[in-house]
Amino acid sequence: QYPVAPIVSAANYPFPSPPGQHPYESQITTTNFLVTHPRCFCLSDMGVGKTAQALGFLMARGAEALPPVVLCPATVRGNWVAETAKFTGMKCQIVTAKSSLKGLRKAGFAAFERPEPGYDLTILNYDLLSTETAQTWIRMLVKGESAYAHEHLVLCGEPAVKLILKAMTKNTSIDVRNRLEKARRAIADLGKAARGMREKRYFRSFVNGMPLADFLQAGYKTLIEDEAHYLKDPKSQRGMAGKAMSDGVANVIGLTGTPILNRPMEVWNL
């Protein structure tokens, strides 16, 4: 499906170098590795050009890699816009929270709360990722009646029953207990189907409040995770949403110089 031989060299590097300069051999080697391994890590040290190498992958793979979405810390969103313009000429948009819109637009960036058509590369920061789980929907039911929470809690199946029973023991309100018991009975009525749900944990992920499934309808083919170690915790909202996003695209390039900060297990979710 993908080329096994290098297709990038100094002579046909996918974007022009500054006048009088040429790509380093290490950059050519790394770009070739990304091109031939489109779901991988780039663990180069800081300052050697991981951003440029990821952009090289996009340019070399062309239609098979475009359009891309970049996940990164909020502090480097501007750098991605600048580097993308410098090396590729692609138009960037930043998806951001409402509170940051005015500042980003004042700084000259194309910033929106949702992806807009007419842009080649979409950038968003990790803080926009969120995930709802059985615990989320139980908390909603504890606060009040919610058809939405009931529906999705039931879809969690048997794994949610223990959590529901635990919440019932902590709450003395009859109304709260009745709402939780209603969900428990609905799960029990599913029978074998509820037990089958043990194999895959049910949750819903969002990008800036937008369901992930709707976000991915833009047709992204590549996910670039800058500082990918931000997704190291598989139980965090960010980690779960990042994993779900990577499952929804063909190519995933993880960029980080620190894949393991404390324990080897941290690399598992990446």
Side-chain angles (χ1 to χ4, degrees), residues 14-48:
F15 48 75
S17 299
Q21 296 185 26
H22 302 282
Y24 292 111
E25 188 64 33
S26 61
Q27 292 175 313
I28 296 173
T29 300
T30 301
T31 302
N32 271 312
F33 183 85
L34 299 181
V35 169
T36 55
H37 300 79
R39 295 183 72 89
C40 68
F41 287 118
C42 175
L43 306 180
S44 302
D45 289 336
M46 183 175 63
V48 301

Side-chain angles (χ1 to χ4, degrees), residues 136-148:
T136 308
W137 299 313
I138 287 174
R139 287 195 296 269
M140 289 182 181
L141 289 176
V142 169
K143 291 181 179 180
E145 188 66 45
S146 171
Y148 170 86

Side-chain angles (χ1 to χ4, degrees), residues 210-264:
M210 182 182 189
L212 179 59
D214 294 344
F215 179 83
L216 292 177
Q217 284 183 357
Y220 299 113
K221 295 181 181 178
T222 299
L223 170 63
I224 297 175
E225 301 167 344
D226 192 9
E227 303 297 347
H229 55 272
Y230 274 54
L231 301 174
K232 66 180 182 179
D233 186 354
K235 296 181 180 179
S236 69
Q237 292 193 33
R238 176 190 296 167
M240 294 173 70
K243 177 64 167 59
M245 185 179 290
S246 69
D247 289 341
V249 298
N251 312 301
V252 183
I253 305 298
L255 309 177
T256 177
T258 52
I260 302 175
L261 293 173
N262 298 300
R263 298 177 299 277

Side-chain angles (χ1 to χ4, degrees), residues 136-250:
T136 308
W137 299 313
I138 287 174
R139 287 195 296 269
M140 289 182 181
L141 289 176
V142 169
K143 291 181 179 180
E145 188 66 45
S146 171
Y148 170 86
H150 175 86
E151 174 188 354
H152 290 285
L153 182 58
V154 172
L155 289 175
C156 293
E158 192 175 83
V161 173
K162 288 184 178 181
L163 298 173
I164 293 173
L165 293 174
K166 184 177 180 180
M168 290 176 67
T169 61
K170 291 184 176 181
N171 290 274
T172 58
S173 168
I174 295 299
D175 288 339
V176 171
R177 291 170 64 88
N178 284 340
R179 289 194 291 270
L180 294 172
E181 175 61 14
K182 181 181 177 181
R184 188 197 67 79
R185 288 181 179 178
I187 292 173
D189 290 342
L190 294 175
K192 292 183 179 179
R195 292 191 291 276
M197 295 173 183
R198 287 179 293 187
E199 299 177 3
K200 187 174 182 180
R201 185 181 183 186
Y202 178 75
F203 59 89
R204 296 192 76 205
S205 293
F206 300 84
V207 176
N208 203 25
M210 182 182 189
L212 179 59
D214 294 344
F215 179 83
L216 292 177
Q217 284 183 357
Y220 299 113
K221 295 181 181 178
T222 299
L223 170 63
I224 297 175
E225 301 167 344
D226 192 9
E227 303 297 347
H229 55 272
Y230 274 54
L231 301 174
K232 66 180 182 179
D233 186 354
K235 296 181 180 179
S236 69
Q237 292 193 33
R238 176 190 296 167
M240 294 173 70
K243 177 64 167 59
M245 185 179 290
S246 69
D247 289 341
V249 298

Side-chain angles (χ1 to χ4, degrees), residues 43-59:
L43 306 180
S44 302
D45 289 336
M46 183 175 63
V48 301
K50 290 191 292 293
T51 301
Q53 290 160 359
L55 292 171
F57 163 81
L58 297 177
M59 299 300 289

